[in-house]
Amino acid sequence: MTAPPPPTPKHLIRSHSTQVNVIYISDDNERIYSGDLSGNLVVTSTRSLRAIASWKAHSEGLLGVQEWEEKLITDNKLHVWDAVREPSRTLGGSAALPGLQPPALCYSLDVNALNYCRFSLLPIPADARTEERHALLAVPNLVESAYVRIRLDLSFWADIWTLPGKQRLHAAIGKGGQGAPASDGRGVPNARGIIMSMHLSSVAHPHATGRARLRLLCGYENGSVTMWDYTREEREVSIEGMGWESLWTVRLHVESVMAMTVSPDGSYALSVSADHLIGRYNIAEAESSTDPKEACSVFRTKHPGNGSVAIKDDGRVCAVGGWDGRIRLYSTKSFKALGTLTYHKKNCQCLAFAHSRARPCCALSPEQPIISGEEEDDDDEMTEHEKQERTRWLVSGGQDSRTPLQCYSWTLQTGLNASCYRWLDSYIESAAVAKKRHQPVHCDRHPDPTILIGPSSHNAKRFAAGAARGRTAQMVCPASTAALPEGACITVLTDRSNRPKVCLLSFSSPRRDSFSAGLAVTAPCWIGTLTMSFYSQSLKTSAIILDLPPTLYVAGAPVEGELELDYQLLLDDDIDRIIVGLEGTIHTKNRTGAQMENFKIGTNDFLRKAITLWVRGHSSPPQGDHILRIPFSLPLPDDAPPSFGFESYMNVAYVHYAVEVTGVRTGTFAIDRTIKVPVLVVSPDPLGAALRAELKLGWQGDWGRIKAEEKIRKIPWGEYATVKMELLVPHLDTFPLFTPIPYSIVLTTISAPTKRKGLAQPAKDIFPAVPRSPSEIDFELRRHVDLQTPYFPSNPEEHVADLIPKAHAPIPPVDVEISDYVWLPEEGKVDRGCWMQEATFNSSMILRFTPTFLTEEIKIKYALHLRVDFPGIGNSLRIEFPINIGSGIEAPIFMDDSGSNPTTIDVPASYWDPSKWSTQ
């Protein structure tokens, strides 16, 4: 049997625009720290999954972050900050959000990290602390020798400092008091190379009670790992590595150690490298063994290129992040593969497990003041079950600048109890008797909201468990195959051969109804095919009019409308009651072959809410009027995905929403009156709403710059010319809808070296000439759609819109500025050089498309594609810039599709025709 698909991330932290280098989870599991290549640090609450602090902590990329006492430590250059104060009401967002105040910087310490090795912190026990010494900090050595300054200050050794005293206790650990440094033949003054990873620890002194000896485990550039031990007990301070001895050195990798981590109990360490090996070092055994390599082991994977590793705090599970973006889970004892997480598309840079036993953390003490004086929202309170689920989180960061939270294990809950199975057995027994007598089955529905019909309670639970793990297909029966009361639907669970196994009856209302249907036994061990006793079809009637204003709804807000009922026509049409429902469906469909009419279909009816609005005999119109007006309100879930539509020859994907009004009629052959009206829904976006206001006033913030440069020539010989292109867009974490977003495109051409003929300007355009019209530039928005149809995933891409329309007068208009030619003489030559010219295109774009979203079935993301073609073969300059699109609204707005700036999102025409939904 094929393995189940990997789980999708529980949440994505979208606060970074560059690759995420470091992830840290606080000891109490309350905060996630993520740092990126630009030096930005974002603190995310695990309760609300929203940013509570965000600031530029360093001018270069972050390597490490860790909470310590009531402080926060970060490096490249090491900074010690005050603890992050969590506001009472957190806002989703990023560094651009107002109100997310950075903590105060307490002090700094120069270290030589070189974008490779992070610090290692060793807190000192309370009974051994002094005023200047609460913790020891191991960092790469800040070398001052002239030799190493020539070598770009590479860090071959390590230093140990005290905090908060900032005193260096030990310098150049690993140098060993050598004079001229040894060379490995490549000019590197140490055969081991630079330090790539380190871990500082202490062990009990073998001879003195109550004392401890320092140990430093280092992973090096040549693939080796060394354990250093400080043996000079009479001296507290050392220089040039004096007193530090190597207990053991083992080289398990053929490439550089890219990451190393030590188990929580300190018994073993794991390392990964650019090769396909995972090294395990049994620390105590290596120290006592005559051959330390015998105490270490190597696990050979099939996946070369690993850049990060983390160990769960129980020491039994580890996660390895690969350069292919995959996260692989292993048993630390046997290295048996436990699963693979596949969200990242590029290198997975860092990993962190949540803590199984969350410990109180002093980084946020109850006595500390907070930014807001209001009490904390009840929405952020967590149940014990939610806290337990949080302990199973795995957080990762990568080059795609996204930080997904993934649950690496899950608990199956079928929701069935003994009374449900007893009801099930009695139902099957009565159904069998009725089948023999050719009689309908009369049965009260079980009070539980879900009933499984299958061969037995054991098999029903087994197949339900398979469905929950993604091992069975789910197929919703058409309405014509079942006769059920209102609010009920049927789902058939099938095996991989598409054979029915379990029939699932779901009720959206708590009613107890009796229904009858003839049962057909399709297999000796399965009962569940319900034959129809009446039909239901959509039919609009003048007795019922649905008044639903054109509104762009927001998840978490209600869908509100009004019914106009012609009372006399209701009575004449024998309508017994009227039900109003709100439905939401995710539908995916993939063609399995270009010439085959064979599809893989997935359907998820994630939203089914219904209320009975009118019952015959319970309400009537006012005296002298025959029209009864009844308002209604149906809430949308907070996590409802936005409306979406995608159609191609090979793939179809939709997220549908509709309000359905059903007039239930009595009688055996009566036809229900049904009205279904599609509605549009988007996710709330408070960050985008704030950015919309700033954009309307004229963008005054930072700009993002994306550059491209190529050497081209018109014919296959001769000297090269140079073309450069730069795209400038506002530096936004999310691009809001319905708002002009300014941009600039700057093109620079530099001709091949030529002779100047004494003219101030060339008589004609020189190759390569800059574009002079917007129509010569291809600037478009593209959408990548990742479809997870059961057992047949696909990832098509589509062109969404031309941001510079190919029209004589594009809207919005594009301002073009073309500079004069500028002569660039060669050094020492006046009459020989190059001609340079620049063209600038300024305009704005307005987005009206489904915002970026992620579900288990559909994942969409957007990118700006910019291309300019020059004469010659292959002379194209391209830029691709991924963007995140948000709705930019927090509450429902009136949907207006007229005027120059319509406030509606573009969906295919079939979205507005519910009759086609079942055939898509």
Side-chain angles (χ1 to χ4, degrees):
M1 179 177 291
T2 306
T8 56
K10 178 180 178 64
H11 180 72
L12 298 178
I13 299 176
R14 304 178 183 273
S15 302
H16 298 278
S17 58
T18 57
Q19 75 176 30
V20 178
N21 286 346
V22 59
I23 295 291
Y24 174 78
I25 302 178
S26 62
D27 289 343
D28 55 5
N29 286 339
E30 290 291 329
R31 290 164 301 285
I32 298 172
Y33 295 83
S34 55
D36 62 27
L37 189 63
S38 301
N40 295 315
L41 180 62
V42 178
V43 187
T44 304
S45 168
T46 59
R47 293 176 178 263
S48 62
L49 294 177
R50 298 173 182 170
I52 59 176
S54 178
W55 74 100
K56 192 171 182 63
H58 294 269
S59 59
E60 297 180 355
L62 276 161
L63 293 179
V65 59
Q66 185 172 340
E67 287 183 354
W68 167 62
E69 294 185 343
E70 295 184 2
K71 305 295 181 184
L72 179 68
I73 303 176
T74 62
D75 73 346
N76 213 298
K77 176 179 180 179
L78 192 134
H79 291 329
V80 179
W81 311 79
D82 277 338
V84 174
R85 268 69 168 180
E86 183 171 359
S88 61
R89 293 180 180 268
T90 58
L91 298 173
S94 66
L97 266 181
L100 299 187
Q101 300 296 329
L105 178 62
C106 300
Y107 52 87
S108 299
L109 184 67
D110 286 327
V111 297
N112 185 12
L114 195 66
N115 293 329
Y116 287 113
C117 182
R118 60 154 286 173
F119 66 86
S120 178
L121 183 71
L122 177 64
I124 298 176
D127 56 355
R129 294 180 181 177
T130 64
E131 183 178 354
E132 296 294 320
R133 192 177 299 179
H134 286 199
L136 299 180
L137 187 80
V139 295
N141 173 240
L142 188 62
V143 185
E144 299 175 354
S145 68
Y147 181 91
V148 178
R149 278 201 296 271
I150 297 175
R151 294 289 305 158
L152 300 177
D153 284 345
L154 295 180
S155 186
F156 310 101
W157 307 297
D159 293 345
I160 297 179
W161 296 71
T162 64
L163 291 179
K166 297 190 292 182
Q167 176 191 1
R168 183 159 65 173
L169 291 183
H170 304 281
I173 299 171
K175 190 174 183 180
Q178 302 172 9
S183 174
D184 65 351
R186 299 175 298 153
V188 177
N190 190 323
R192 292 183 295 265
I194 65 175
I195 297 177
M196 305 294 290
S197 182
M198 62 173 62
H199 177 79
L200 180 63
S201 61
S202 63
V203 296
H205 197 284
H207 308 300
T209 305
R211 296 184 59 185
R213 291 174 63 167
L214 291 179
R215 297 279 177 88
L216 184 64
L217 187 67
C218 296
Y220 289 95
E221 186 183 8
N222 70 339
S224 66
V225 172
T226 299
M227 175 66 79
W228 298 96
D229 178 41
Y230 187 60
T231 58
R232 297 178 65 176
E233 304 172 6
E234 70 281 2
R235 290 181 176 268
E236 190 178 38
V237 179
S238 67
I239 58 173
E240 297 294 307
M242 299 295 183
W244 287 87
E245 296 181 359
S246 172
L247 293 180
W248 52 265
T249 297
V250 174
R251 184 181 180 186
L252 300 181
H253 296 285
V254 296
E255 300 288 347
S256 300
V257 173
M258 300 305 298
M260 181 181 67
T261 185
V262 178
S263 63
D265 61 0
S267 60
Y268 67 90
L270 298 180
S271 66
V272 295
S273 173
D275 53 32
H276 64 292
L277 307 176
I278 301 177
R280 176 180 170 121
Y281 310 85
N282 297 314
I283 295 175
E285 296 177 17
E287 182 179 349
S288 58
S289 175
T290 55
D291 184 2
K293 198 166 186 177
E294 293 182 355
C296 305
S297 57
V298 174
F299 174 68
R300 291 172 171 80
T301 71
K302 300 179 181 179
H303 316 285
N306 298 304
S308 54
V309 62
I311 300 176
K312 189 77 175 72
D313 58 1
D314 59 9
R316 297 185 299 176
V317 177
C318 70
V320 175
W323 291 354
D324 58 358
R326 296 177 180 265
I327 303 170
R328 297 173 176 89
L329 302 174
Y330 298 98
S331 164
T332 56
K333 183 176 181 180
S334 63
F335 284 102
K336 177 181 178 181
L338 304 178
T340 303
L341 305 176
T342 59
Y343 174 75
H344 291 290
K345 303 301 181 185
K346 297 182 180 179
N347 185 4
C348 179
Q349 294 285 107
C350 48
L351 296 165
F353 281 104
H355 305 283
S356 298
R357 299 176 181 85
R359 302 180 295 276
C361 184
C362 56
L364 272 175
S365 61
E367 295 79 14
Q368 290 177 339
I370 56 179
I371 294 176
S372 173
E374 301 176 5
E375 294 183 357
E376 186 174 351
D377 278 343
D378 293 338
D379 293 342
D380 290 346
E381 292 299 325
M382 302 184 72
T383 64
E384 288 301 321
H385 174 73
E386 291 173 330
K387 291 180 180 179
Q388 183 63 28
E389 181 183 355
R390 186 174 60 177
T391 63
R392 300 196 300 271
W393 284 4
L394 170 64
V395 187
S396 63
Q399 286 187 351
D400 47 12
S401 71
R402 295 291 183 262
T403 305
L405 313 184
Q406 310 218 30
C407 188
Y408 61 92
S409 65
W410 57 92
T411 302
L412 176 66
Q413 295 180 344
T414 61
L416 301 177
N417 52 35
S419 63
C420 181
Y421 287 127
R422 287 195 297 271
W423 184 92
L424 176 64
D425 293 336
S426 64
Y427 180 85
I428 294 175
E429 182 179 355
S430 62
V433 174
K435 175 64 180 176
K436 291 180 180 179
R437 299 179 180 178
H438 302 282
Q439 295 176 348
V441 180
H442 297 273
C443 187
D444 291 337
R445 72 167 285 266
H446 191 268
D448 287 349
T450 300
I451 300 168
L452 283 175
I453 301 176
S456 67
S457 60
H458 172 73
N459 285 337
K461 187 171 183 178
R462 178 165 58 88
F463 284 109
R469 291 192 176 103
R471 293 176 181 171
T472 59
Q474 293 194 15
M475 178 178 63
V476 177
C477 293
S480 60
T481 63
L484 299 172
E486 82 280 359
C489 64
I490 294 179
T491 302
V492 175
L493 305 182
T494 68
D495 60 13
R496 290 192 175 274
S497 299
N498 208 30
R499 294 174 296 188
K501 293 296 182 181
V502 178
C503 180
L504 175 66
L505 277 68
S506 301
F507 292 81
S508 59
S509 60
R511 294 173 52 86
R512 293 181 60 89
D513 292 297
S514 298
F515 64 94
S516 62
L519 287 173
V521 180
T522 60
C525 64
W526 183 73
I527 301 176
T529 299
L530 293 169
T531 61
M532 57 186 170
S533 61
F534 59 81
Y535 293 88
S536 177
Q537 67 181 43
S538 298
L539 180 64
K540 190 170 182 179
T541 172
S542 59
I544 306 172
I545 298 177
L546 174 59
D547 183 10
L548 200 62
T551 305
L552 184 60
Y553 296 97
V554 173
V559 176
E560 298 178 338
E562 186 179 75
L563 285 186
E564 290 185 13
L565 308 178
D566 190 315
Y567 190 74
Q568 189 58 47
L569 288 179
L570 292 177
L571 299 180
D572 294 342
D573 204 23
D574 294 327
I575 294 179
D576 185 63
R577 59 189 180 275
I578 295 177
I579 300 171
V580 179
L582 178 62
E583 64 179 52
T585 301
I586 298 177
H587 177 81
T588 56
K589 180 179 177 180
N590 287 339
R591 189 185 297 269
T592 57
Q595 305 298 328
M596 299 173 58
E597 292 300 320
N598 189 17
F599 299 90
K600 293 294 184 180
I601 299 175
T603 302
N604 177 12
D605 296 318
F606 64 92
L607 175 59
R608 286 292 184 273
K609 292 185 179 180
I611 57 174
T612 300
L613 213 59
W614 177 83
V615 178
R616 181 191 290 263
H618 283 69
S619 58
S620 57
Q623 187 71 23
D625 192 1
H626 65 94
I627 299 298
L628 181 62
R629 295 176 176 84
I630 306 177
F632 65 89
S633 178
L634 297 167
L636 284 163
D638 294 336
D639 58 348
S643 299
F644 174 69
F646 170 77
E647 294 179 352
S648 68
Y649 178 77
M650 297 295 293
N651 313 99
V652 174
Y654 273 89
V655 180
H656 288 129
Y657 290 91
V659 175
E660 186 174 44
V661 181
T662 304
V664 180
R665 304 175 67 219
T666 57
T668 305
F669 300 100
I671 300 176
D672 292 344
R673 309 305 191 195
T674 304
I675 303 172
K676 181 179 283 189
V677 177
V679 295
L680 288 178
V681 177
V682 295
S683 304
D685 183 18
L687 171 60
L691 293 175
R692 281 187 70 191
E694 294 185 32
L695 289 167
K696 288 180 180 179
L697 297 175
W699 181 249
Q700 302 297 324
D702 295 333
W703 290 77
R705 297 174 179 266
I706 308 94
K707 300 180 180 180
E709 180 177 338
E710 291 288 345
K711 299 283 188 180
I712 65 173
R713 53 188 178 185
K714 194 173 183 178
I715 54 179
W717 56 85
E719 296 188 271
Y720 283 93
T722 302
V723 289
K724 301 178 181 180
M725 181 166 59
E726 184 176 22
L727 173 63
L728 290 84
V729 293
H731 186 71
L732 305 174
D733 287 299
T734 181
F735 282 59
L737 301 179
F738 319 131
T739 305
I741 301 173
Y743 67 85
S744 295
I745 299 171
V746 181
L747 287 156
T748 305
T749 61
I750 303 175
S751 70
T754 184
K755 279 191 174 184
R756 186 175 185 180
K757 299 180 180 179
L759 300 175
Q761 292 288 313
K764 60 180 181 179
D765 287 339
I766 298 177
F767 176 85
V770 297
R772 297 182 177 274
S773 170
S775 61
E776 298 178 61
I777 296 178
D778 292 324
F779 188 32
E780 61 184 23
L781 179 68
R782 299 192 67 85
R783 177 164 57 201
H784 181 86
V785 184
D786 189 1
L787 304 181
Q788 296 296 325
T789 302
Y791 320 119
F792 199 85
S794 62
N795 50 355
E797 186 177 88
E798 67 169 340
H799 168 271
V800 179
D802 287 319
L803 300 178
I804 298 182
K806 302 300 183 181
H808 178 69
I811 299 177
V814 180
D815 295 327
V816 182
E817 300 175 8
I818 300 178
S819 69
D820 293 332
Y821 279 98
V822 176
W823 176 250
L824 304 177
E826 291 184 2
E827 185 177 356
K829 298 180 181 180
V830 178
D831 60 341
R832 182 171 176 82
C834 303
W835 289 103
M836 182 182 72
Q837 191 177 30
E838 186 176 280
T840 304
F841 299 80
N842 299 309
S843 186
S844 62
M845 53 183 159
I846 301 177
L847 305 178
R848 302 183 185 90
F849 313 103
T850 300
T852 307
F853 73 96
L854 167 71
T855 67
E856 293 183 0
E857 299 85 2
I858 304 173
K859 306 173 187 177
I860 69 169
K861 52 187 177 182
Y862 293 88
L864 300 176
H865 283 247
L866 178 60
R867 190 186 73 180
V868 177
D869 295 328
F870 294 90
I873 300 175
N875 291 338
S876 296
L877 203 55
R878 294 180 174 87
I879 284 178
E880 180 178 352
F881 179 51
I883 64 171
N884 178 57
I885 296 181
S887 66
I889 61 176
E890 299 180 85
I893 61 173
F894 180 78
M895 190 166 58
D896 181 16
D897 57 359
S898 62
S900 60
N901 188 14
T903 54
T904 182
I905 61 175
D906 290 341
V907 291
S910 58
Y911 184 95
W912 303 105
D913 188 357
S915 64
K916 297 181 179 179
W917 289 5
S918 60
T919 60
Q920 287 174 344

